[in-house]
Structure formats: structure tokens, C-alpha cells
Amino acid sequence: MGVVLGTFSIQPKQVNYRRDKVDDELEMTMVCHRPEGLDQLEAQTNFTKQELQVLYRGFKNECPSGVVNEETFKHIYAQFFPHGDASTYAHYLFRAFDTTNNGSIKFEEFVMGLSTLLRGTVREKLEWTFHLYDINRDGFISKEEMTEIVRAIYDMMGKYTYPALKGDVPKQHVDAFFQKMDKNKDGVVTLEEFILACQEDEMMMRSMQLFENVM
Amino acid sequence: MAAGVATWLPFARAAAVGWLPLAKKTMPKPPVDKKSRNDEILIVNVSGLRFQTWKNTLDRYPDTLLGSSEKEFFYNEDTQEYFFDRDPEMFRHILNFYRTGKLHYPRQECIQAFDEELAFYGIVPDIIGDCCMEEYRDRKKENQERLSEDTEAEMATDTPLPPNSTPRERLWRAFENPHTSTMALVFYYVTGFFIAVSVIANVVETVPCRPIKGSVKDLPCGEKYSVAFFCLDTACVLIFTFEYLMRLFAAPNRCKFMRSVMSVIDVVAIMPYYIGLVMPENEDVSGAFVTLRVFRVFRIFKFSRHSQGLRILGYTLKSCASELGFLLFSLTMAIIIFATVMFYAEKGTKGTNFTSIPAAFWYTIVTMTTLGYGDMVPNTIAGKIFGSICSLSGVLVIALPVPVIVSNFSRIYHQNQRADKMRAQQKVRLARIRLAKKGTTNAFLRYKEEGGLQDHDSDSAALCLKNRSSFEHQHHHLLHCLEKTTNHEFTDELTYSEMCMTESVGYRTSRSTSLSSQQAVSSSCCPRRAKRRAIRLANSTVSVSRGSVQELDTLQVQKSSIGPQSRSSLNARTEDLKLNCEQRDYTAAIISIPTPPANTPDESLPPSPAVPGILRNSRTTSYTQEAVKISSL
């Protein structure tokens, strides 16, 4: 009879027990961050009070905890580029905004970045762009770093483009870029070379002004 | 566009500054937002209950009623508010959706009323948050089932056939849905009747009738009235054969039909008769023939075509096969164990029934299932002790798995139903999401086609472009900037595959046709696609000129000189199309980069009036001028 009962222990079907993860999640501390006062932010950035209000309302609505983490950031950015894969570029963008390098963007960092991009001087914008390209923050843009960025941008285009992306188009793009930017041909682009080369490029200077009235 | 992304659009556009140093072309001009930037509070009056919200909140979902210009239809000038004559309680949930991005389903509301409100406000129910999705679906399913039962009861006829169906299709339909025509119904009942008659005849055949005169023994009726029964059997089999052949003829997929369970049952039901006809009246074979007559009982399974319940029972048995198998397995083990024990316990007794272990199986089964016929009983004390243990454990062994199996039945049955439905729904949901995604990608492509990328003055802008929300304008501008940065354009899958296919037809011919078509831009009577391709070729290859044969020659020479080089570099690839694309890009790269100043006056051409064809024409003439410059360098 014991053997008979023993046969019951042999289950023919695997039963999966779902561990209750809800309790674990509740134990996580609720991260909540409040930004500095409106006046301080107005002083630090080039936005008016109304603009800061609008920005904060939008930001707080999307991220009630007051910070954006990388996943959310990637998800949001990917919505704008449904054709291709925006996650790599979003990663670099996230790092560019996250000036304190703690893996999350607070409202202050967000607003500072926007202030530089939209209301900053040309030099500030170029410096921001340089920091975006300089992945390892060593003060130089190497060909590898540039290739990474350009590849990330081309990833956003997706597969169906005209003309079709054949051959190593990102690499050609990077070669062209280096030819333009690298004045002393030492294989890396420094901040000064970058700014100088960009200021010589009238096309780019004109385009920069286009983004001023985004807000 | 999905939830709340509109608030992040300014951020994404600002980040586009990062593309500027890399851009191969100048960025297009951004759309001018004429509306005032300041955010205002809107008043929405729903049947007297006033709601106030920021305009930005409503603008988050531009494809709903409140987020689009559709709400202007409800604007009341006198009171300066938007008035909706709808349920104010429901509106609270709708507005919360705009605020939080999550749509919740209020449990106390009627599902249909909720659905109607969602439809009115242009909100798709798929975005109901996960917290409320289950409840919503369950209620909706319940409601739909109830409604469909009502409609089925009302409905007399099914959906009408397509008008030009062959008689074969009509026949098949008549077999599958007997309610469609009277003939089918008649046939359905006739076959049902004959199945019943045949089964009853089989049963009555074996009942003993009064013996014929002169004999003592009781005869079964089958033998007394053998002719009558034979005629009845023949009639039934004829009907069944006819029915089977008709079904076989009408079936859309004959092989599949022949493999189906019902057709196997049909065949097995009528086979014995034919075998009986064919076989000679031989003593040896007739024994086997008698066995075959047993198969006539399978005719009763033909009733499952007429009964939904039988079909469901069959299906559930099939789906619970593993549970039943386990029950059988454990029972077999127990039977073997106890039979062995009983056999050895009763071995010593004289004249015992327990002649062998297999003989003891019968006793064990009868005891364990608590039947206890009493045809086999143990005599020895040990036998009686083990016999009682057997019957006690029998109760346990049988009684315990049975509720488990019964609950498994119902769980598996319902689960199967729900799993299949959820899988189907998931597929539909994913397809819809993909469609929406494609919709956004297609929106940009359509925007380009309609000439949205050209710089328009406010007067000449097409009305359709005007009606696009500022969000869409800005988003399309962002995508356009990306195109300019990489010097490639977005296309859809269709155009991409067409392009790849048509270009593979010998690159030389395609080049010559494309060049010739570029020469005659205005007079092209080619379909729009080819024209667009020609125009795109003009756009992408900065260097190719029109109008001047001289330039063409020089450039052709240039191209052909590059030709062999690039071909050798791509000897792994055999397709011509890749050559063409690679080549073009290469030439564009070579020629465009050393002469950026030459390009810029090009790009900043004053915009021409709205007609795209003329615009491109003027652009091409400007390219001619540029090309002249290049060849003279």
C-alpha cells in the first residue's frame, strides 16, 4: 500500500509554482526625487518660469518618481523612431544627459541639457555634441567611438531605406567626417579641432539656428 | 503614437542637435508653430459637470476626439467651453486616461455603455491597463455570448452563400449546416432515423422470439425473420453508403476528409455488410464474419454528427488522456501486486479459484472497485486478511484520483478554451499593434509623398497638410532631419523590394533608362513609381546632370572607370543591384564631400510653388549648373 501511495508522488506533469514576486517588489524603496526650487532652476538655465513649469509638468507626468531610468528613456525614444532600432543611440543620449553618471536622469540634469541644446551659445552646443560623441570621456573622439555613434544613428533608419544601405555605409560616413574634422591627421579629434571645423562649416552653423524655437 | 510621448517630442528634437556635425545635407526648416505656446486650461462641460484640464493633457493623444480638432465641433462660443451631452460619470475615467496614460475599467458600469463611450471618444479598448484588462475581457465575453445566444435563437437562416458557388460547395455546406436548406434538413433527419432504426434492429435481432412451428428451441428474432432483417440492413447500409459517397464527393479536401474520425466511423459501420456479401458461405470464415457484425454497433457513433454533447465528451476524453493514463497505470500496479499476493496466499487451498496470477486479476479488480461479485473468494486466513487490505486500498486507489481527474477535466477543458482564445486574441492584438506601428511609419511616408517636406508658404500649403497636428509636423520634421543626416530616405518594404528587384535587371540598361528618363523629367508618361525613382536618383546622385550630353559623357566615363574597381571589391556579391547602389553612393560620396560650398547654395534654393513635379524640375536644372562647375574643375 505504501508503494501504491508512493506512485502518487510521481507526477506525470510538471507543475510550475510561481514565486510570489509582488512582495519583493513592495520592499523596494520608493525612489522619489524633488527638484530644486523654480527660482534656482531659472537662474541656472536659460528657460523662463513658464517654460520650466510646462517642462516639469510633462516630466512629472511621465516619471512620477522624479527620475528617468535608462529603460524608460530607451522606450520613450524608440517611440519616435518606429522604423528602426533606436536603443543604441538612446543609450548614448542617456549618458550624455546623465551628467552625474548615476544611471538616472533627474529633472535638473534634464533641464540643463535642454537649456544647453535649445538656448545655449554655439560653443556650448558644440561642446555638448562633443561630449555625446566622446563615449569614454577621455577628451578625444577616436574613430571607433565615432563609428559606434554613426552606426547607432544608422540603426535608427531601419532596414527599408532609399538608397539601400549596402556596404559599410557608416564606415564611409565616419571616414568622411574624420577627413573634415581631423586637422592634424593624428587619428583623433580634440574639442578644439571639433569646434574649429564645425564653425568653418556654414551649412552646420545655419542648421544649428533651426533648432532654436523647438520649445 | 503611444501614451504621453508628445511631451517628450521637444526633447527628442533638441537631441537632434547631436546629429548636426555628421549630417551630409543641411537640415530642413522646422515647421512653424503658429499657435500660442502658452498652455491654457480648457473647460469641458459634460452634461453639466465641469471638468478642467490643461490643453497639453488632451493633446497627448492626438488620434482621439478630445486630442484632435474634432472637439472644435463641440465648442460652445457663448460659454467658452466644450460641451458634451454624454455620461459625466464615465467621462471621469476617460479624462483620467489622458492624465495618467492608463485606461481603467470601472467595475460597476455596464460593459456596453463603457464600450460606447470609448467609441464616441475615439479611444481603442486595447489600451486598457493590465490591471483591468482581465475583468473587461471576461465581462465582454459574457456579454457577447449572451447576445450571440439570443441572435442564434432569432436567426432562422445562416449567412447566405456566395452567389457563384458550385453545386459541390453547396452540397458540402448542406452537409455541414443542415439548417441551411429544407433538403439538407430532411436528409439530416432521414439519416438520423435510419441510424436509430439500424441500431434498434441490431439489438432486436438478438431477442429470442417464439419458435417457428414445429421447433422447440427459442430462436432469436434475427434468424426467424432473417429476410426482413436482411432487407432492413440492406436499406440502412444503402442509405449510409450513399451518404458517405456524397460527403466524399462534396468534401473540399478529400484526403483530409477520409482521415477524419467521422468518416472512419462511417466506413467501419458499413464495411461488415459488404464483407458479408462478398464472403462465401463458408463455415470457417463465418465465425470471423460473426465478429465483424459487432462492428455494426459503431453505427451508434454516427449520432455524434447529430449531437454536440457527444462531440464535447469525446474531446474532453481526448484532452484528459494523460490523467486517465496515470489512473490506469497506478491501478495496474496495484492489481498486479495484490493478485500476486492473493495467489500465493491461496495456493495451498484445494479446489481454489485462484488458479494463476492472471486468474487472480479478476478477483483483485472486482474487489478494488468494491463490486464484490463473490464468484471468487479467499478461503485461507492469510487470503482473507490480504483480501480485506485489498478492498480497503481499493477504495483509496479509486476514490483519490477520481476527484483529481474530474477537477482536471474541468480545469483542462476551461483552460484549453481560454488558452486558445487568448492566443488568438494575442495574435490579433499583436497584429493590431504592428498595424498601428506601420501606420506611424506609413504616416511619414505618406507625408513625404504629399510633398510635405517641401517648404510651403501658408497659402499654398495643401489643406490636408494643414490639418495635421503640430505634433505630427514636428515629428515628421525630426524624421526628415534624420534622413538628411544619413543621406538615406525612409521607404516602405514594398518600394524597397521593388527597387531591389528592378535594379537587378542589368545595371547598364537601368542606368541608361534612368538617365534618359532624367533627361525628360517633365514629359515622363511612366507610372508614378518610375518617375519617383528617377527623381530620387536625381536627388541622391548629386553629380549626375541633365540636359548636357557633354557632362553625361564625362560622368559616364567617370562612373565606368570606377565600375571595375567596385566590382572587384565586391566579388563576394553576385547581384548586380548591390553594385548599382554601392556605385552610386560612392560617386555621390566622392563628389559631394570635397565641394560642400557648391552644395549649399543648392540646398538653400528658394522654394517653388507647391506642385512637386515642377519643384523637382527646377532643382534638377540647378544641379545642371552645379554639374557644369564640377566638370570644369
Side-chain angles (χ1 to χ4, degrees), chain B residues 372-392:
Chain B
Y373 289 135
D375 53 351
M376 282 166 84
V377 281
N379 291 105
T380 58
I381 296 180
K384 284 184 181 158
I385 292 174
F386 285 117
S388 45
I389 296 175
C390 175
S391 64
L392 284 174

Side-chain angles (χ1 to χ4, degrees), chain B residues 425-473:
Chain B
Q425 277 169 359
Q426 187 75 317
K427 256 190 267 178
V428 170
R429 246 182 131 184
L430 284 173
R432 233 178 281 161
I433 290 171
R434 242 182 286 127
L435 207 67
K437 221 180 162 213
K438 232 192 342 167
T440 49
T441 62
N442 285 342
F444 180 60
L445 298 170
R446 257 182 288 121
Y447 183 75
K448 281 204 294 186
E449 275 178 42
E450 287 165 12
L453 295 181
Q454 316 311 325
D455 226 354
H456 296 285
D457 325 327
S458 53
D459 301 332
S460 57
L463 262 169
C464 60
L465 292 174
K466 261 191 192 148
N467 281 341
R468 288 207 162 85
S469 66
S470 76
F471 174 78
E472 278 191 16
H473 275 297

Side-chain angles (χ1 to χ4, degrees), chain B residues 404-417:
Chain B
V404 173
I405 287 179
V406 164
S407 69
N408 263 6
F409 260 15
S410 61
R411 184 174 57 83
I412 290 172
Y413 182 67
H414 287 287
Q415 232 178 39
N416 269 349
Q417 303 271 65

Side-chain angles (χ1 to χ4, degrees), chain B residues 53-115:
Chain B
T53 179
W54 292 108
K55 187 168 182 303
N56 270 356
T57 312
L58 294 180
D59 283 343
R60 276 199 207 128
Y61 298 97
D63 50 356
T64 57
L65 186 153
L66 290 169
S68 64
S69 56
E70 202 184 337
K71 63 176 183 284
E72 302 303 324
F73 285 102
F74 298 92
Y75 190 66
N76 189 344
E77 296 285 348
D78 307 322
T79 50
Q80 300 259 320
E81 60 189 19
Y82 294 90
F83 182 76
F84 292 97
D85 198 7
R86 311 283 303 188
D87 190 354
E89 301 297 328
M90 294 282 205
F91 189 75
R92 195 169 61 82
H93 302 285
I94 306 279
L95 198 53
N96 271 342
F97 165 63
Y98 284 89
R99 291 188 184 127
T100 61
K102 291 196 203 73
L103 182 62
H104 294 281
Y105 167 59
R107 293 203 157 96
Q108 71 275 15
E109 301 287 351
C110 167
I111 185 82
Q112 247 184 320
F114 187 67
D115 268 344

